[in-house]
Amino acid sequence: MLAIFLLSLNLRPVVAAIGSLAAPILGTTPIGSLGLGLLTTIPVFLIGLGAIYVRQIRAVLGERRDVAVGGLIIAASCLLRYWFDGAAGLILTASGAGIGIAIIRALTPSFAKRNYRAGIGRVIGVYSTGIVVGGAVAAGVAAHLASRLGWQGTLAAWSLPALSATVVWLLASRDARSEGGIDMVASVSASHSPHLWSNLRCWSLMIFFGVGTGAFMLAMAWIPPFYLGLQQPAERAGLLLSILTVVEAATALGVAAFVHHLPDRRGPLTFSLITVATGFAVLTMSPIALAIPAMVMLGVGIGILFPLSIIVAIDHIDDPTIAGNFTAIVQGGGYILASFVPLIAGGFRDVFSDLTHVWTLMAIGSIVMIAVAARFSPDSYVRFRNALHLRPAPRAARRELERMRA
């Protein structure tokens, strides 16, 4: 469990630290705002591909060794940023780190489920907490470290925790159960479910997940540069992003504790979308005076929206295996869509020298998604299953699905 926690700490800093270091990066490289957005877009896009092709990734070396390879790739990519500090080098290392993150994020949950079974909820809680903590720390300390190490040294410093986590992982997982390897190649294609892609509900869930994830990626990439542009200290800009991520984590834990009391998810989904829209509206109208309330509102809204988007996808299918495949498609496509949000924001910033238009568009998009959420009724899940000709799952499979939802 310690190894999983240490690995998870390294899954956000590659993205989270960029926003806090935007000023020195833009001041010393010709990358521009569009290129800065690309440094967030690339890893998130690759995370999406990793979710869709998780079975193929698992078939290469197996879960245990693939996760170790992912950790080493993250460590190497971070270290290379000390020397490859030009625009091309930053994009190249962002791609490398994104591959490593995609591998670990795709395989760690299934590895944990295979080895912890009844305790999977506790392990995924530790794993999720590590992701949030890593992002919060990276955003909060990046500006302070840059004053001592330079922005190149700050980005490269994350190679140390990534390498250490990989070593601990290899030691801790020696006797663990791990699935995969070359013997899985034949079964990978057989387990594919192409008919899921042709269903309109799959696409609406994918877009819904993409908007919610895009809101968080937009905040992570551009809130620090936004406040730097308002002449706020770099340390305060990073602190505001840390507040958002901590509130998001606390809210997500609250969702996990109480979601089983609300089988119809439309009420909390609507509340979360209104809260996200209000947070972005506050950034447009009163970003300095109401900075902390804006961060709290965004953290609460995203903290509800992200886990519920996954839970709603799982709700649609009773069979655990097909539900897992379906959720991978929804998350993978959603991450790919979300990955373009920071890039588009960078383009807007280059054109308008401001992000107010982006906050406004994200607020409007969140309100529009309320109409989509209104269609996610429990009755619509039954119609979806009937359209796919899926029979009700056996009792044991339903119990397994309830554990997935938890």
Side-chain angles (χ1 to χ4, degrees):
M1 199 178 291
L2 173 63
I4 289 173
F5 177 74
L6 293 176
L7 280 172
S8 67
L9 288 174
N10 295 278
L11 301 185
R12 271 192 186 171
V14 170
V15 172
I18 294 295
S20 299
L21 300 174
I25 292 175
L26 290 172
T28 57
T29 68
I31 195 168
S33 296
L34 190 64
L36 196 71
L38 198 60
L39 299 183
T40 300
T41 291
I42 290 173
V44 179
F45 182 87
L46 291 169
I47 289 170
L49 288 182
I52 293 174
Y53 292 103
V54 60
R55 294 181 298 280
Q56 288 86 342
I57 294 172
R58 187 183 291 114
V60 178
L61 295 173
E63 288 168 338
R64 176 179 179 265
R65 284 175 289 183
D66 276 346
V67 168
V69 169
L72 290 175
I73 292 173
I74 294 173
S77 299
C78 291
L79 183 61
L80 288 173
R81 285 184 155 179
Y82 188 79
W83 297 283
F84 292 9
D85 57 352
L90 287 172
I91 291 172
L92 179 65
T93 52
S95 302
I99 291 171
I101 294 168
I103 292 171
I104 294 175
R105 291 193 70 143
L107 298 183
T108 303
S110 61
F111 181 93
K113 188 174 182 66
R114 199 178 320 283
N115 285 275
Y116 286 90
R117 302 197 181 196
I120 182 62
R122 184 174 70 256
V123 181
I124 294 301
V126 169
Y127 170 74
S128 302
T129 301
I131 293 175
V132 174
V133 169
V137 170
V141 306
H144 177 72
L145 286 178
S147 65
R148 297 171 177 267
L149 305 177
W151 66 264
Q152 298 94 333
T154 300
L155 293 178
W158 282 101
S159 62
L160 294 176
L163 182 61
S164 301
T166 304
V167 172
V168 175
W169 168 262
L170 287 172
L171 293 173
S173 63
R174 283 175 298 179
D175 301 321
R177 289 183 294 272
S178 177
E179 182 180 304
I182 197 65
D183 58 312
M184 271 192 63
V185 173
S187 64
V188 165
S189 57
S191 63
H192 186 48
S193 302
H195 64 284
L196 295 174
W197 287 98
S198 62
N199 191 282
L200 289 177
R201 176 52 64 93
C202 178
W203 285 92
S204 65
L205 286 165
M206 192 185 302
I207 293 170
F208 191 83
F209 183 82
V211 170
T213 306
F216 177 71
M217 294 303 167
L218 175 65
M220 181 172 288
W222 287 110
I223 278 180
F226 175 67
Y227 278 100
L228 290 173
L230 296 176
Q231 309 305 314
Q232 297 297 297
E235 288 79 4
R236 184 168 192 259
L239 177 62
L240 289 172
L241 184 55
S242 295
I243 291 172
L244 189 155
T245 56
V246 170
V247 172
E248 178 217 359
T251 304
L253 289 174
V255 169
F258 295 104
V259 70
H260 61 282
H261 294 297
L262 298 168
D264 189 340
R265 323 293 188 186
R266 290 176 293 177
L269 283 175
T270 300
F271 172 78
S272 69
L273 289 165
I274 292 173
T275 306
V276 169
T278 304
F280 282 119
V282 170
L283 287 180
T284 301
M285 295 181 291
S286 185
I288 295 180
L290 298 178
I292 293 179
M295 296 304 105
V296 172
M297 283 186 283
L298 288 173
V300 169
I302 295 168
I304 297 172
L305 188 58
F306 181 80
L308 272 189
S309 299
I310 300 173
I311 291 169
V312 166
I314 295 174
D315 285 342
H316 276 71
I317 297 177
D318 282 338
D319 182 271
T321 300
I322 300 177
N325 293 344
F326 181 60
T327 306
I329 290 172
V330 169
Q331 287 191 78
Y335 272 120
I336 289 172
L337 291 174
S339 70
F340 291 100
V341 174
L343 183 65
I344 294 170
F348 269 81
R349 189 174 187 265
D350 277 339
V351 173
F352 298 105
S353 300
D354 184 44
L355 288 164
T356 301
H357 299 84
V358 178
W359 307 143
T360 302
L361 287 174
M362 203 69 220
I364 294 171
S366 300
I367 295 298
V368 170
M369 284 297 105
I370 293 175
V372 178
R375 300 177 62 86
F376 297 155
S377 67
D379 288 341
S380 73
Y381 308 159
V382 178
R383 293 193 295 271
F384 174 79
R385 289 193 288 269
N386 291 338
L388 294 179
H389 307 292
L390 296 175
R391 291 175 293 181
R395 183 177 300 175
R398 289 198 295 270
R399 287 198 297 267
E400 179 71 12
L401 191 68
E402 286 304 317
R403 286 195 289 269
M404 288 174 63
R405 290 190 180 99

